C-alpha cells in the first residue's frame, strides 16, 4: 500500500514533484521496515497495558459529555453520531432557499442549501466519531507487564541469568535424532516432545510444565526441581522398543531427514513418507500400529508438512513427491485420519493438486492462516500456491541461491528459505527479496518464533544461532554442542528450544526472545 508498484499516474504536487511512492520517515529504510516497526510498537506490552484507555476515548465513556471535556477529547459537534441526519432532509424547498435567515432569535435558523453543503463538507473532511459502545471504564488487559507488579512473581522482564542448557537426554539408540515435535500445551492428554531417529525409532517423551513464568498454569513448587522432559519409559527400559520401531520398508534412495515426518498436534499420530509403494502412512504413537496408508502420488513421497491446527485438531497436511507435484490433504482431528469420512479412509481424496515444479520436491511449508503452500524443488525454484491449488508466483533467489533445502513461513507472510552451502533468503509473500546472508555451516534445521520476528538455525557445526528474521542480524550464539544438529522445535510458551542431535540425544536450551530483542535494540 505504500508502493506505486503499478506505476499509476497520481499527479504532480504544487512544487512540481511527481506523486509516486509514499515518503517514509527517516527511521524506515523501506516500506517493510515501516510496517514491521509499527506492528512491533502497536503489539508491544506497553501498548497492551494502555489499550483500555484508548478504547475509553474512542468508543467508551470519555467519548462525549463531561468526561470527554476533562480528557480534552472534544471535536466539532457535527462529527458526533446522531447530531445530524442528512438523509432526512428531503424537502426540496429547504435545499433551494437562497440565503440563511434567522427567526425568533439569533440561535434559531432555517436549514439552507449552503448550510447543508457546509455540513456535508465538515463531515467529509473531519470524519465521523464512531458509535459510543461503552458507558463505563474498560478493564485493562492482563498483559505480561501487569504480572510484573504482582507480589511473589519473579518477572519475565527481570534480568535472570539463566543457564543456556537446561538438560541433555541421551537415548540408548545412537541413531541421529532427525525429527523433533514439541507439542507441550498443558491441556493435551499427553504434553510431550516426540522424537524420531534415522532408524525410524520414535519416542514420546513426557513434558513437565516446569519451565517459564513462575505462577503460570501448570507450574507447581513440587515440580520446580524436575527436568522438563522425561524419557519415554518404553525406550528407557528397552521394554517396548518394538512398539516404537517403524519397520515398514522405505525406498533405499530416500535420505531420512526432518521432512519425512509429521506429528499431529495431540501427539497421538505420526505420519511418515518415503515408502517404496509411493504412499505415506499414519501410525499410532500409543501402539505403534499402522492406522492408514494414503496413496495419490506417481512416485516416492519425499516430504511432508503440517499446518497449524484448528480447534479439534483439524489441520492441513501437504505431501511432496519425486513426481514434481504436491498434494494437499485434510487431517480430521475427530476421526484421526486423512480425509473427512472414516468410511472411505482407504481411498481419501486430496483437497488440491499443486503443480509447477520440474524436479523432485524436497521441502514444503503450509500456513492455513494465510492459505498458502510454499515448496522447493531439488534444483529450484520455490513456488507459492494457494491451498486451492492456484500457482501465485515463484520466489527467485539471488544468483548463487539455486537449491532450496529448508522453508519456514510466518503468519505475517515472511518466508525464510535456506539454500545449499549456508545461504539464506527472506522473501515477502509478494515475492520481494528482503534480506540475504551466508553462514559457514551446513544448516539442517530452521524455525521461526511464533511472532515471526526471530529465526533459529542449527547444523553440522553443532551451534544454535538466533537471528533477527527481518535483516539476519545476529542476536545470540549458544555454546557449541559435541555433535551436529538435525532437528529443532520450540515449546508452546516459546521459552524452551529442543534440538535433536546426530549423536542420538536431545538438548533442551533456555531461550528468551524478549531479552535479546531489548539487548539488540540497545546495541544498535
Amino acid at each position: 500500500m505504500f508502493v506505486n508498484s503499478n506505476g499509476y499516474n497520481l499527479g504532480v504536487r504544487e512544487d512540481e514533484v511527481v506523486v509516486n511512492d509514499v515518503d517514509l520517515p527517516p527511521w524506515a529504510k523501506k516500506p517493510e521496515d515501516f510496517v514491521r516497526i509499527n506492528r512491533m510498537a502497536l503489539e508491544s506490552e506497553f501498548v497492551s497495558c494502555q489499550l483500555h484507555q484508548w478504547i475509553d476515548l474512542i468508543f467508551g465513556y470519555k467519548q462525549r459529555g463531561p468526561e470527554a471535556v476533562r480528557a480534552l477529547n472534544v471535536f466539532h459537534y457535527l462529527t458526533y453520531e446522531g447530531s445530524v441526519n442528512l438523509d432526512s432532509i428531503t424537502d426540496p424547498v429547504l435545499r433551494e432557499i437562497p440565503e440563511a435567515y434567522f427567526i425568533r432569535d439569533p440561535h434559531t435558523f432555517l436549514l439552507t442549501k449552503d448550510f447543508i453543503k457546509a455540513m456535508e463538507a465538515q463531515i467529509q473532511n473531519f470524519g465521523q466519531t464512531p458509535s459510543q459502545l461503552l458507558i463505563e471504564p474498560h478493564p485493562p488487559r492482563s498483559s505480561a507487564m501487569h504480572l510484573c507488579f504482582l507480589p511473589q512473581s519473579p518477572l519475565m522482564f527481570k534480568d535472570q541469568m539463566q543457564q543456556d542448557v537446561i538438560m541433555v537426554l541421551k537415548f540408548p539408540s545412537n541413531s541421529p535424532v532427525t525429527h523433533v515435535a514439541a507439542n507441550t500445551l498443558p491441556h493435551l492428554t499427553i504434553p510431550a516432545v516426540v522424537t524420531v531417529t534415522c532408524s525410524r525409532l520414535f519416542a514420546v517423551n513426557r513434558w513437565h510444565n516446569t519451565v517459564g513464568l513462575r505462577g503460570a498454569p501448570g507450574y507447581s513448587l513440587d515440580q520446580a526441581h524436575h527436568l522438563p522432559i522425561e524419557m519415554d519409559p518404553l525406550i528407557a527400559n528397552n521394554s517396548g522398543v518394538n512398539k516404537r520401531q517403524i519397520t515398514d520398508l522405505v525406498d533405499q534412495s530416500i535420505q531420512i531427514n526432518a521432512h519425512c515426518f509429521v506429528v499431529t498436534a495431540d501427539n497421538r499420530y505420526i505420519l511418515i513418507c518415503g515408502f517404496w509403494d509411493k504412499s505415506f502412512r499414519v501410525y499410532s504413537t500409543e501402539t505403534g500400529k499402522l492406522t492408514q496408508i494414503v496413496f495419490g502420488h506417481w512416485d516416492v513421497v519425499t516430504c511432508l508438512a503440517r499446518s497449524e491446527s484448528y480447534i479439534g485438531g483439524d489441520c492441513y497436511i501437504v505431501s511432496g513427491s519425486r513426481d514434481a507435484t504436491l498434494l494437499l490433504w485434510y487431517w480430521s482431528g475427530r476421526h484421526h485420519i486423512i480425509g473427512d469420512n472414516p468410511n472411505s479412509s482407504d481411498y481419501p481424496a486430496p483437497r488440491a493438486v499443486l503443480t509447477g515444479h520440474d524436479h523432485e520436491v524436497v521441502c514444503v511449508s503450509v500456513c492455513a492462516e494465510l492459505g498458502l503452500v510454499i515448496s522447493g524443488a531439488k534444483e529450484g525454484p520455490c513456488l507459492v500456491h494457494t491451498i486451492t491449488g492456484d500457482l501465485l508466483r515463484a520466489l527467485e533467489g539471488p544468483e548463487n541461491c539455486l537449491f532450496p533445502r529448508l522453508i519456514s513461513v510466518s503468519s505475517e507472510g515472511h518466508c525464510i528459505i535456506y539454500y545449499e552451502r549456508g545461504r539464506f533468503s527472506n522473501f515477502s509473500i509478494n515475492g520481494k527479496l528482503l534480506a540475504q546472508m551466508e553462514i559457514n555451516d551446513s544448516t539442517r534445521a530452521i524455525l521461526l518464533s511464533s511472532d515471526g520476528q526471530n529465526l533459529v538455525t542449527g547444523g553440522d557445526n553443532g551451534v544454535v544461532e538466533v537471528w533477527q528474521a527481518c535483516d539476519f542480524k545476529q542476536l545470540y550464539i549458544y555454546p557449541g554442542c559435541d555433535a551436529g544438529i538435525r532437528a529443532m522445535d520450540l515449546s508452546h510458551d516459546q521459552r524452551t528450544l529442543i534440538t535433536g542431535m546426530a549423536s542420538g540425544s536431545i538438548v533442551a536450551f533456555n531461550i528468551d526472545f524478549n531479552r535479546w530483542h531489548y539487548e539488540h535494540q540497545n546495541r544498535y
Side-chain angles (χ1 to χ4, degrees), residues 35 116 161 224 228 237 381 465 476:
V35 173
I116 292 169
M161 290 306 293
N237 306 332
E465 297 178 81
Y476 197 72

Side-chain angles (χ1 to χ4, degrees), residues 342-405:
N343 298 323
S344 62
S345 62
D346 291 344
Y347 302 102
R351 289 284 180 96
V353 180
L354 282 51
T355 60
H357 287 296
D358 295 325
H359 305 281
E360 169 185 341
V361 181
V362 292
C363 51
V364 62
S365 183
V366 53
C367 179
E369 189 174 340
L370 297 176
L372 293 175
V373 176
I374 301 176
S375 55
K378 192 169 187 177
E379 297 179 32
C382 290
L383 299 181
V384 183
H385 287 87
T386 66
I387 53 174
T388 54
D390 296 322
L391 175 60
L392 293 182
R393 62 180 53 84
L395 301 177
E396 298 287 354
E399 286 181 20
N400 52 3
C401 296
L402 300 174
F403 309 117
R405 292 297 174 261

Side-chain angles (χ1 to χ4, degrees), residues 34 306 331 361:
F34 184 75
R306 169 173 79 79
W331 171 264
V361 181

Side-chain angles (χ1 to χ4, degrees), residues 190-467:
I190 308 175
V193 175
V194 179
T195 58
V196 193
T197 70
C198 265
S199 59
R200 291 177 300 144
L201 180 73
F202 69 89
V204 183
N205 309 288
R206 185 174 282 276
W207 173 267
H208 299 292
N209 289 294
T210 61
V211 183
L213 191 64
R214 305 298 189 264
Y219 178 84
S220 74
L221 289 174
D222 302 336
Q223 295 177 324
H225 61 283
H226 287 170
L227 294 171
I229 304 170
E230 177 187 337
M231 188 185 292
D232 186 331
L234 294 184
I235 299 293
N237 306 332
N238 216 17
S239 57
V241 173
N242 59 324
K243 285 176 71 174
R244 298 288 192 241
Q245 184 82 50
I246 307 297
T247 55
D248 296 351
L249 287 175
V250 293
D251 191 281
Q252 293 301 304
S253 63
I254 282 287
Q255 187 179 6
I256 300 290
N257 59 33
H259 295 307
C260 295
F261 310 96
V262 156
V263 177
T264 58
D266 57 6
N267 292 316
R268 293 177 60 184
Y269 294 87
I270 181 168
L271 286 70
I272 303 179
C273 68
F275 296 101
W276 61 272
D277 62 359
K278 304 162 191 171
S279 71
F280 68 91
R281 305 185 181 192
V282 182
Y283 296 86
S284 163
T285 56
E286 188 181 349
T287 63
K289 290 183 177 175
L290 175 66
T291 62
Q292 191 179 17
I293 302 178
V294 182
F295 294 100
H297 287 284
W298 295 95
D299 207 334
V300 174
V301 181
T302 49
C303 57
L304 294 171
R306 169 173 79 79
S307 74
E308 62 275 30
S309 285
Y310 300 106
I311 294 170
D314 290 5
C315 62
Y316 290 112
I317 302 288
V318 178
S319 58
S321 166
R322 278 202 186 132
D323 65 14
T325 69
L326 300 114
L327 298 178
L328 182 85
W329 310 86
Y330 198 75
W331 171 264
S332 168
R334 181 181 171 194
H335 301 299
H336 309 295
I337 55 166
I338 296 282
D340 302 315
N341 187 355
N343 298 323
S344 62
S345 62
D346 291 344
Y347 302 102
R351 289 284 180 96
V353 180
L354 282 51
T355 60
H357 287 296
D358 295 325
H359 305 281
E360 169 185 341
V361 181
V362 292
C363 51
V364 62
S365 183
V366 53
C367 179
E369 189 174 340
L370 297 176
L372 293 175
V373 176
I374 301 176
S375 55
K378 192 169 187 177
E379 297 179 32
C382 290
L383 299 181
V384 183
H385 287 87
T386 66
I387 53 174
T388 54
D390 296 322
L391 175 60
L392 293 182
R393 62 180 53 84
L395 301 177
E396 298 287 354
E399 286 181 20
N400 52 3
C401 296
L402 300 174
F403 309 117
R405 292 297 174 261
L406 302 167
I407 297 176
S408 190
V409 184
S410 77
S411 57
E412 275 73 43
H414 285 188
C415 177
I416 308 284
I417 300 175
Y418 168 73
Y419 299 87
E420 271 189 355
R421 299 180 183 171
R423 298 182 175 113
F424 286 83
S425 292
N426 181 2
F427 294 92
S428 77
I429 221 62
N430 293 325
K432 182 178 178 182
L433 179 63
L434 302 177
Q436 56 180 309
M437 74 167 174
E438 191 170 335
I439 62 174
N440 187 24
D441 191 3
S442 182
T443 302
R444 298 296 192 103
I446 65 172
L447 58 86
L448 284 164
S449 57
S450 60
D451 61 5
Q453 300 290 336
N454 304 282
L455 170 71
V456 186
T457 65
D460 289 346
N461 291 353
V463 178
V464 174
E465 297 178 81
V466 184
W467 314 80

